[in-house]
Amino acid sequence: MTDAQPGVRDVLGFDPFAPEFSADPYAHYRELRAGGPLIRTPGGLWLSTSFAVCTQVLRDPRFGHGDDELSGRPPRRARSFLTLDPPEHTRLRRLVSRAFTARLVERLRPRVSAIVDDLLARLDGEVDLIAGLAHPLPVIVISEMLGVPPEDEDRFKDWSDALARGLDPDFVVPPDELTYRDRAREEFGDYFRELAARRRAAPGDDLLSGLVAIEELSEDDLIATCVLLLVAGHETTVNLIANGTLALLRSPDQLAWFRANPGEAPAAVEELLRYDPPVQLSARVALEDAEVAGQRIGRGEAIMLLLGAANRDPEVFTDPDRLDLTRWLTEAPRHLAFGQGIHFCLGAPLARVEGQIALTALMRRDVALLPGPLRYKDNLILRGLAELPVRIS
């Protein structure tokens, strides 16, 4: 486990790398919630555990990511549309969104099912479920969508692990990991520049061929988009499958219900997303002075939105710390696992399909959690296990 950088606790109000926090951040969120819907940390950062505040800020055009100067980020040659504000965000997202509509993603169900069946057929006895299923599934899917040759898929794991740290603010990442992350970004960029050149010369029926054909998309924008698709399209789904499996194995009554009602997988996955979401927080910068929960937020000030805490807000959810797979059978899900507003997760339909298929197929097998402590990856924004040891038969 990585030690927090000096001052991280003061800035955030908690140590995200403490073993007890990784094991159960929700206990710490409850302590923070006692301070009110919007609190200020000793380091001057605004922080919210409130569902209402998080939803308001995510939807409010007065809040965004800001330019590098306003938000205090080091300048970068190109940023993905995930961290851009309108109109650039609107332009780039529109160019990519055509590949991720719910209708188009639904067509992938047979292929996703075939991949899951193939992966599960190889698992027997004591295995790491992340290495055997949760990691390779989304890698294969996003690689096939982008047109990455199968022999190159293994290269994505190291890149994805390193680039996932790129979602965290620099002040929580140790210097050696910043170097590793930046090197991975360069290697990934070089790889996709070469692959994009091949697709321009000989287009195929894949997403990358479609992207390189868009004249308005610069090469830097193309590479930043591919990085985003790999990290957002892969890491979040890995964590959805692993976190969801762990939650089910720790809740025998809910696991029994899930196995008895496989047709309700969509509602069950929504509850798993609420209960232990892959994305724990998001940040926004005030683009102008604004008032939130009775507090004045000055231009340039940042708010850390604890989405994992908001998903267990007792003001919104009955018995919020209990996993209840029937919660969303009769109403539309209201969790913030995929965000809200203009930055709502573009890959949400794909993550849902992969999670539904993987968990349904997995729970047809006899699966048991092996004893021993669990280790989580050193990420602030993404919450995911480093490994998930199970016995499967």
Side-chain angles (χ1 to χ4, degrees):
M1 183 64 64
T2 300
D3 293 330
Q5 291 286 80
V8 168
R9 178 183 287 276
D10 285 342
V11 174
L12 295 178
F14 57 90
D15 179 356
F17 304 124
E20 62 273 15
F21 183 88
S22 296
D24 183 13
Y26 305 102
H28 296 269
Y29 294 157
R30 287 193 292 273
E31 294 177 5
L32 290 171
R33 183 175 291 116
L38 186 64
I39 62 176
R40 193 135 198 199
T41 70
L45 178 71
W46 291 102
L47 183 149
S48 180
T49 61
S50 161
F51 185 93
V53 170
C54 290
T55 301
Q56 175 191 340
V57 172
L58 289 171
R59 292 177 173 175
D60 193 331
R62 295 176 299 175
F63 291 89
H65 293 281
D67 56 27
D68 292 333
E69 181 179 357
L70 178 64
S71 58
R73 288 184 302 263
R76 189 181 298 176
R77 183 168 62 181
R79 290 159 51 194
S80 74
F81 58 82
L82 181 69
T83 60
L84 292 174
D85 298 322
E88 275 299 284
H89 167 269
T90 308
R91 180 182 70 85
L92 290 173
R93 183 180 173 112
R94 184 172 60 245
L95 294 175
V96 180
S97 63
R98 66 190 71 171
F100 288 91
T101 65
R103 180 174 59 84
L104 291 177
V105 168
E106 280 297 316
R107 295 180 185 174
L108 294 175
R109 275 190 181 270
R111 177 57 184 151
V112 174
S113 294
I115 296 170
V116 168
D117 290 344
D118 179 60
L119 292 171
L120 285 177
R122 308 176 195 179
L123 301 184
D124 187 58
E126 295 186 0
V127 300
D128 174 12
L129 194 67
I130 292 178
L133 174 65
H135 173 266
L137 170 62
V139 163
I140 294 170
V141 172
I142 197 64
S143 296
E144 289 184 354
M145 290 181 70
L146 284 168
V148 172
E151 60 270 20
D152 291 342
E153 289 173 2
D154 286 344
R155 303 175 66 182
F156 276 27
K157 183 182 188 306
D158 287 342
W159 284 337
S160 184
D161 289 345
L163 293 170
R165 293 308 307 265
L167 298 179
D168 288 349
D170 286 358
F171 73 86
V172 304
V173 184
D176 60 330
E177 292 194 29
L178 286 175
T179 301
Y180 177 50
R181 179 199 67 186
D182 293 342
R183 184 171 67 248
R185 185 180 287 132
E186 288 299 317
E187 291 175 357
F188 186 89
D190 291 342
Y191 173 83
F192 264 95
R193 284 186 183 89
E194 180 183 344
L195 189 59
R198 285 153 54 188
R199 289 294 180 271
R200 289 189 183 96
D205 185 20
D206 54 65
L207 178 56
L208 183 58
S209 294
L211 291 174
V212 299
I214 300 173
E215 294 182 359
E216 304 98 310
L217 200 63
S218 71
E219 186 169 83
D220 285 346
D221 288 337
L222 172 67
I223 300 306
T225 298
C226 289
V227 169
L228 173 62
L229 293 178
L230 171 65
V231 177
H234 168 244
E235 289 290 331
T236 52
T237 305
V238 173
N239 296 344
L240 164 58
I241 295 170
N243 295 358
T245 297
L246 180 61
L248 289 170
L249 295 180
R250 285 176 164 175
S251 305
D253 62 325
Q254 296 303 299
L255 175 57
W257 185 91
F258 186 76
R259 284 172 166 158
N261 297 274
E264 303 295 351
V269 166
E270 296 304 322
E271 173 64 355
L272 292 169
L273 284 163
R274 181 201 70 84
Y275 183 77
D276 195 10
V279 179
Q280 286 284 299
L281 59 89
S282 187
R284 292 294 186 271
V285 174
L287 305 178
E288 59 184 83
D289 293 349
E291 184 174 302
V292 177
Q295 300 283 354
R296 179 186 177 277
I297 312 298
R299 180 179 182 273
E301 290 187 318
I303 300 183
M304 191 74 76
L305 307 171
L306 297 180
L307 306 181
N311 278 351
R312 296 197 185 194
D313 188 338
E315 296 292 323
V316 177
F317 305 102
T318 303
D319 200 2
D321 292 320
R322 187 174 80 86
L323 180 68
D324 179 5
L325 300 186
T326 67
R327 192 182 296 268
W328 308 115
L329 289 178
T330 58
E331 60 178 305
R334 290 175 290 154
H335 61 74
L336 299 179
F338 293 123
Q340 284 281 329
I342 63 171
H343 287 285
F344 183 84
C345 178
L346 186 66
L350 181 59
R352 283 174 163 135
V353 165
E354 291 175 323
Q356 292 163 16
I357 292 172
L359 290 169
T360 301
L362 174 63
M363 294 310 163
R364 295 193 193 107
R365 305 279 296 273
D366 185 8
V367 186
L369 184 65
L370 292 177
L374 295 172
R375 184 169 60 89
Y376 282 82
K377 288 181 283 191
D378 295 328
N379 292 105
L380 171 64
I381 291 178
L382 299 174
R383 172 169 169 78
L385 292 154
E387 56 190 10
L388 182 56
V390 300
R391 182 180 294 107
I392 184 170
S393 59

